[in-house]
Amino acid sequence: MNASADMSMKNDEVLTVELEVFRRQHRDLDEAITALQERGTSDQLTIRRLKKQKLGLKDKISQIEDRLTPDIIA
């Protein structure tokens, strides 16, 4: 089952909770990346992996926000 089919089966309450969890994880990853970069002796591969995870979360957040926000025809 793909992600969009999985999302269509969830109700808005579940999606809202998942949205908050993903936003928190996104912030945590951002803080971890910043901390590693400030240390100066950080592993670039680790930073790249964390940034990739953060980008994946951003995509999930956008999909959920699109699902929760009704389409308004102007």
Side-chain angles (χ1 to χ4, degrees):
M1 183 179 296
N2 63 23
S4 60
D6 184 42
M7 194 179 308
S8 67
M9 295 175 65
K10 296 180 181 178
N11 67 25
D12 288 353
E13 282 184 30
V14 172
L15 290 174
T16 302
V17 170
E18 284 184 352
L19 182 61
E20 288 306 312
V21 170
F22 291 149
R23 284 179 176 160
R24 190 174 322 119
Q25 289 175 348
H26 188 269
R27 278 191 304 270
D28 291 346
L29 282 172
D30 193 40
E31 291 172 5
I33 291 167
T34 301
L36 285 172
Q37 289 173 335
E38 287 176 354
R39 243 182 20 190
T41 59
S42 59
D43 179 18
Q44 292 302 313
L45 181 60
T46 301
I47 290 175
R48 247 183 282 147
R49 286 180 181 160
L50 291 175
K51 285 183 177 182
K52 189 171 183 177
Q53 287 178 2
K54 186 178 161 191
L55 197 57
L57 284 172
K58 184 178 178 183
D59 289 342
K60 288 179 184 179
I61 289 168
S62 294
Q63 289 174 351
I64 293 173
E65 287 174 339
D66 288 346
R67 172 91 183 347
L68 292 173
T69 304
D71 291 334
I72 299 174
I73 300 173

